Amino acid sequence: MSSLLHLNRVCKSYPSGRERLEVLIDLDLELEARRMLAVTGASGSGKSTLLHLIGGMEAPERGQIVFDGRDLGRLSRDELARFRNQELGFIFQFHHLLPEFTAQENVMMPLLLRRQSASQASTRAASMLAQVGLAERAHHRPGELSGGEQQRVAVARALVGRPRLLLADEPTGNLDAGTSRSIHQLLFRLHAENNLTSILVTHDEQLASQCEIQRRLEGGRLH
């Protein structure tokens, strides 16, 4: 099977005083469709930077990132925006829900950005909230939800547009152990049910051990 995602000699650095901090150094990665990869590593090792590059939110200084045959470095700003909206789901450590909107309205947002009708977006969002076990909480605002429920809404929002690639950056890093386990189970179930290709960045060794592929980011490279 050919790779859905291919990173070839990707480099990224940031200014650090008078020098530059090398975060990713000639990093290579190949990931087939429908696989789940866990990336672990020390704080500051570049795990979040790696996800931002794959998601087209930052550009590498050198190297190539190819998704399904498309070189992200050759896409225009508008094409990158469409890639993120149509192909990518992103789950952050913090849910980043809009507090003035209900759970269902928050989940609708990516579809409204695609210019889907409000009725279509509402129907799909309600279905997605049911998949994450929040059908009864669809019309509650984030402030009325627990931390675990808020993160489930964020998961629903990430997947409502039927992306092929899911990127999760410490998706349970802000939750207690019991809630984290329930979110882990949810992510594994949705990965299988939605035929996702998933990359999870985590400090949680238990979560990483359940993924079919585990890599550690160290010294700017994946090991």
Side-chain angles (χ1 to χ4, degrees):
M1 183 183 295
S2 60
S3 299
L4 179 69
L5 178 68
H6 180 208
L7 277 65
N8 180 39
R9 300 180 68 84
V10 167
C11 298
K12 184 68 175 179
S13 66
Y14 296 100
S16 179
R18 295 182 177 180
E19 301 179 350
R20 294 190 69 83
L21 176 64
E22 299 286 342
V23 179
L24 303 179
I25 305 169
D26 291 333
L27 183 144
D28 294 320
L29 172 66
E30 289 200 31
L31 188 63
E32 296 175 353
R34 303 183 183 181
R35 306 294 295 275
M36 179 177 276
L37 164 67
V39 178
T40 60
S43 296
S45 61
K47 301 185 300 298
S48 294
T49 296
L50 175 62
L51 289 192
H52 292 166
L53 293 172
I54 293 171
M57 289 171 276
E58 295 186 48
E61 292 164 52
R62 298 186 303 279
Q64 190 179 43
I65 301 173
V66 178
F67 178 81
D68 195 20
R70 287 179 292 171
D71 184 344
L72 299 189
R74 296 181 178 274
L75 300 184
S76 68
R77 181 177 298 180
D78 288 345
E79 289 170 333
L80 276 174
R82 282 195 294 274
F83 162 73
R84 288 191 294 266
N85 181 256
Q86 297 177 7
E87 303 282 12
L88 182 68
F90 209 120
I91 304 170
F92 301 90
Q93 179 175 350
F94 300 100
H95 51 75
H96 297 300
L97 301 177
L98 299 174
E100 65 272 29
F101 294 103
T102 67
Q104 186 163 327
E105 289 167 340
N106 269 279
V107 176
M108 290 168 60
M109 294 296 176
L111 302 181
L112 296 176
L113 290 172
R114 292 187 188 182
R115 302 189 185 280
Q116 283 195 14
S117 70
S119 61
Q120 287 178 317
S122 179
T123 298
R124 172 63 183 160
S127 173
M128 199 65 235
L129 284 168
Q131 284 192 50
V132 301
L134 289 180
E136 303 289 327
R137 308 288 273 167
H139 300 294
H140 289 70
R141 287 181 170 81
E144 301 171 309
L145 303 174
S146 70
E149 288 172 335
Q150 291 173 5
Q151 195 65 329
R152 284 174 180 266
V153 175
V155 171
R157 181 184 57 192
L159 299 184
V160 71
R162 297 184 174 91
R164 287 193 288 168
L165 179 63
L166 176 66
L167 304 178
D169 192 356
E170 296 286 0
T172 60
N174 200 37
L175 303 173
D176 62 75
T179 304
S180 293
R181 284 193 295 273
S182 70
I183 297 294
H184 295 172
Q185 293 167 1
L186 175 67
L187 290 173
F188 287 114
R189 176 170 64 81
L190 293 175
H191 170 83
E193 291 178 355
N194 293 276
N195 296 317
L196 292 167
T197 303
S198 302
I199 303 177
L200 310 183
V201 157
T202 183
H203 283 100
D204 189 323
E205 296 295 338
Q206 182 181 15
L207 172 59
S209 68
Q210 296 177 65
C211 296
E212 57 187 323
I213 309 170
Q214 298 107 36
R215 305 284 295 274
R216 182 171 179 82
L217 184 56
E218 190 172 4
R221 296 182 174 92
L222 287 169
H223 303 275

